Amino acid sequence: MSNQSTRRDAIKKFAAATVALTAGNAVSGGTIERIMEEDQYKLKRNINHSVCKWTHDFLSLEELCVEVKKMGFSAIDLLTPSEWPIAKKHGIHVSMCYTNGKVSLTEGWNNKKNHAQLIAAYTEAIPLVAEAGYQNLICFSGNRNGMDDETGLQNCVEGLKQIMPLAEKHNVIIQIEVFNSKVDHKDYMADNTKWTIELCKRLGSPNFKILYDIYHMQISEGDIIHTIKQNHQYFGHYHTAGVPGRHEIIENQELFYPAIMKAIVETGYKGYVAQEYIPTGKTKEDKLAALKDAIKRCDV
């Protein structure tokens, strides 16, 4: 099973239960026609925008590449090596890479029994990422399964230290994603910034960072802007979604993304911010209009 399938399966039941918004609500502040037909739509380029492929799988990757370019940005998150040639054909950058489908969200670096398989997968993937001209490669802590935080940290350090010299050699950034364990990813170990920052400190490598998922951390701990300002040196990538519901980032959710994006820009961050919300629109046109609206709301 691919990483994307694993990720999709992990939220499938939650997404089905929470899709309560209507297509009309998906694009707040104006009609779909207005958003899609604006002739003067231009990005400010203070934020490098991206979108996660798995949340827009109502389109083929070819179609998504075309639509992304129409909206004025040129990056897609969470593609495997087999998908990179399609992105390259369309001039699309892969802003966060997967390995060749050999890693799992639930069986990660916190368990020594996974180390041999993971080391092999990342040893293969790291040179491929660099050769393709990319930099970011995602990883996961795995679930607790009764394990305490300290043991999990020690195991992660032991395993990851075996691939970090290769990552440093190829200038590839290994990025551990934080998830909430309250709603979406029950029992996931890296469910807070404190634990992952400690992992960064113990590894002591500039090539190990945190994929800070704003949606997940709002659920886990809140205090988003302060956390970004205080700890941005550990954050190498950002994901977005509305809270509650993991849907469009519009006015009926509790996060104000323009202020969050402004805080990210003020840290001097030059990486990517990827939209990872689950669209609620009933048609392809509704969903694409909502993506364009999300990009605009995050373009500070």
Side-chain angles (χ1 to χ4, degrees):
M1 181 179 290
S2 71
N3 289 319
Q4 291 158 304
S5 296
T6 302
R7 192 183 190 101
R8 192 153 48 242
D9 290 341
I11 65 164
K12 186 176 181 180
K13 292 182 180 179
F14 170 65
T18 56
V19 177
L21 296 177
T22 65
N25 285 334
V27 184
S28 178
T31 66
I32 292 171
E33 290 78 9
R34 177 186 63 80
I35 291 170
M36 296 304 288
E37 293 176 2
E38 282 180 337
D39 292 331
Q40 300 303 316
Y41 174 73
K42 291 183 180 180
L43 297 177
K44 297 176 182 176
R45 306 299 176 187
N46 293 320
I47 294 286
N48 290 316
H49 298 286
S50 180
V51 62
C52 293
K53 184 224 175 202
W54 75 269
T55 60
H56 286 70
D57 61 0
F58 57 92
L59 299 172
S60 70
L61 181 54
E62 292 265 9
E63 291 171 326
L64 183 59
C65 288
V66 170
E67 296 298 337
V68 158
K69 293 295 284 288
K70 286 181 183 177
M71 293 182 196
F73 65 103
S74 58
I76 297 176
D77 252 35
L78 304 175
L79 300 184
T80 61
S82 64
E83 296 169 312
W84 297 349
I86 297 174
K88 282 183 174 293
K89 182 176 75 172
H90 291 274
I92 297 293
H93 182 69
V94 180
S95 41
M96 182 60 66
C97 298
Y98 267 130
T99 65
N100 275 311
K102 300 174 183 176
V103 295
S104 162
L105 279 67
T106 59
E107 298 177 356
W109 289 96
N110 67 342
N111 194 319
K112 290 184 180 182
K113 74 177 185 180
N114 302 323
H115 284 182
Q117 177 183 331
L118 289 171
I119 290 167
Y122 282 83
T123 299
E124 174 191 51
I126 288 168
L128 292 177
V129 171
E131 183 180 352
Y134 307 138
Q135 188 171 49
N136 297 322
L137 182 60
I138 198 169
C139 76
F140 308 102
S141 68
N143 284 4
R144 296 175 183 276
N145 294 313
M147 184 181 295
D148 64 274
D149 281 356
E150 179 57 30
T151 300
L153 276 171
Q154 292 176 8
N155 290 347
C156 283
V157 170
E158 180 180 323
L160 286 162
K161 276 193 171 181
Q162 297 183 63
I163 66 165
M164 292 315 301
L166 186 64
E168 292 168 3
K169 175 183 176 181
H170 289 280
N171 195 29
V172 169
I173 311 297
I174 307 298
Q175 306 227 20
I176 186 166
E177 185 165 11
V178 284
F179 296 134
N180 81 78
S181 58
K182 293 180 180 179
V183 177
D184 300 89
H185 298 280
K186 301 291 185 180
D187 202 44
Y188 186 71
M189 180 165 278
D191 62 356
N192 65 88
T193 52
K194 182 179 179 181
W195 188 92
T196 48
I197 288 170
E198 179 61 24
L199 178 57
C200 289
K201 290 178 178 179
R202 293 191 189 188
L203 285 169
S205 172
N207 289 69
F208 188 83
K209 299 284 185 180
I210 298 164
L211 194 173
Y212 185 76
D213 190 302
I214 297 164
Y215 159 79
H216 284 297
M217 289 302 95
Q218 173 66 7
I219 293 172
S220 286
E221 58 192 23
D223 202 21
I224 298 297
I225 290 177
H226 177 77
T227 298
I228 290 169
K229 288 182 176 179
Q230 294 298 311
N231 303 292
H232 62 88
Q233 65 270 34
Y234 300 107
F235 299 164
H237 199 76
Y238 292 90
H239 280 174
T240 75
V243 181
R246 198 173 187 164
H247 299 307
E248 290 85 356
I249 51 173
I250 55 180
E251 284 88 348
N252 68 350
Q253 55 93 43
E254 63 195 43
L255 291 165
F256 184 62
Y257 271 97
I260 296 170
M261 293 299 110
K262 183 174 182 289
I264 290 172
V265 170
E266 288 175 349
T267 68
Y269 178 72
K270 301 299 182 184
Y272 285 86
V273 175
Q275 301 291 332
E276 200 185 21
Y277 66 85
I278 300 168
T280 61
K282 293 182 179 179
T283 69
K284 179 177 76 173
E285 290 73 23
D286 291 337
K287 293 174 182 179
L288 288 173
L291 176 58
K292 188 170 185 178
D293 187 58
I295 296 295
K296 288 182 67 178
R297 290 172 187 271
C298 288
D299 194 54
V300 297

